[in-house]
Amino acid sequence: MIRPGRRDRGAERSLGPLESEVMNRLWAVDAPLTVRQMVDSLADKGLAYTTVMTVLDNLHRKGWAERDLVGRAYRYRPRISREEHVSQVMADALSSASDQHAALARFVDTMSPEEAALLRAILHDRQESA
């Protein structure tokens, strides 16, 4: 499966600032959005309808968003959750480290006590179910 943000195993297709903003808005709602709804959501940015339409079309083409034609308008939704995206970014970053042990240790060092406890609980649950 090709993951959003990737053409193939090594070709990262990162998001630009406006694409990231649009994805954040898609992730923040529970229902698909039309271009008009996204324009309204981004009203503080003063973007043209055609600009937002192009960004959503690009996100669809890159595999970040899915769309369905409802009447005469497409409705866009994220292809994966924000959590799945963050997980992929973390996995990609770890796999690119020459010393994964050191990279993972430094990451754990940056965790709050609450985050570390959550990680321990997740690892414990995973070990119990194995």
Side-chain angles (χ1 to χ4, degrees):
M1 176 176 108
I2 296 176
R3 293 186 284 175
R6 297 189 140 305
R7 253 190 291 229
D8 56 48
R9 278 192 76 103
E12 175 103 12
R13 296 180 75 193
S14 62
L15 298 177
L18 186 52
E19 290 173 326
S20 292
E21 180 70 28
V22 169
M23 283 305 302
N24 284 330
R25 304 285 170 120
L26 288 175
W27 280 320
V29 297
D30 293 329
L33 297 177
T34 63
V35 175
R36 172 53 54 205
Q37 290 169 318
M38 183 60 73
V39 169
D40 292 345
S41 172
L42 296 165
D44 58 319
K45 306 274 185 213
L47 299 170
Y49 181 94
T50 54
T51 300
V52 175
M53 182 174 63
T54 299
V55 170
L56 283 165
D57 185 60
N58 287 344
L59 289 169
H60 174 259
R61 185 177 39 79
K62 289 179 176 183
W64 286 93
E66 293 180 344
R67 67 183 181 193
D68 297 306
L69 189 60
V70 179
R72 293 178 41 198
Y74 281 113
R75 294 187 182 271
Y76 292 85
R77 65 186 181 286
R79 185 163 173 239
I80 63 170
S81 70
R82 182 190 314 261
E83 293 73 21
E84 289 171 308
H85 168 63
V86 170
S87 170
Q88 289 174 2
V89 169
M90 292 168 65
D92 288 347
L94 184 58
S95 70
S96 70
S98 59
D99 184 346
Q100 291 183 346
H101 180 271
L104 194 54
R106 289 184 195 275
F107 176 69
V108 169
D109 287 344
T110 68
M111 291 180 162
S112 69
E114 296 80 15
E115 291 166 335
L118 180 59
L119 179 59
R120 278 192 297 278
I122 291 168
L123 291 172
H124 176 75
D125 290 348
R126 190 172 196 200
Q127 190 174 31
E128 289 289 315
S129 66

